[in-house]
Amino acid sequence: MLQPIIHYGIHFGLPLVIALLFFKAFWLKAYCIMILGILIDLDHLLADPIFAPNRCSINFHPLHSYYAIVVYLILLIPKKTRLLGLGLTIHIIADITDCCLM
Ligand SMILES: [Zn+2]
């Protein structure tokens, strides 16, 4: 019961906290861009079965591989892609937490 709350709490709550703390002037826009990080879950559609409750997505799905994670971390460096990188990194943190709780 606790696991989905923590998972979605990180997915939707952490971007909000970061947006309000660091991007006050345009927090809503920042929040929306970070929420887009959830789109990388589209790679689950490539998996069979699409949804498995006890499967750790990290390093299973292509957009959750260690190579992809390195790219997300690099996106944090340039100012232009930082928000996108943050959204993707937060997504990975949420998924890693999920794996730890399994
Ligand atoms: Zn995911």
Side-chain angles (χ1 to χ4, degrees):
M1 194 55 215
L2 200 63
Q3 190 185 336
I5 296 174
I6 295 173
H7 184 73
Y8 290 105
I10 295 174
H11 260 318
F12 296 102
L14 195 57
L16 187 63
V17 171
I18 292 175
L20 289 172
L21 282 181
F22 301 104
F23 304 95
K24 240 182 224 151
F26 55 102
W27 70 271
L28 192 63
K29 188 183 164 202
Y31 181 63
C32 291
I33 294 172
M34 282 188 275
I35 287 293
L36 287 178
I38 209 161
L39 285 176
I40 59 169
D41 268 349
L42 287 174
D43 64 359
H44 292 26
L45 300 175
L46 299 170
D48 181 38
I50 287 172
F51 186 73
N54 282 312
R55 182 176 62 203
C56 174
S57 50
I58 300 299
N59 223 26
F60 181 87
H61 304 292
L63 292 174
H64 293 66
S65 64
Y66 296 135
Y67 297 108
I69 294 170
V70 169
V71 174
Y72 304 157
L73 291 175
I74 292 170
L75 286 176
L76 290 172
I77 301 166
K79 237 185 156 168
K80 268 193 164 155
T81 55
R82 188 167 294 155
L83 275 170
L84 194 65
L86 268 170
L88 296 164
T89 307
I90 290 166
H91 182 118
I92 295 297
I93 293 171
D95 284 8
I96 289 176
T97 315
D98 222 22
C99 298
C100 297
L101 295 172
M102 274 171 193

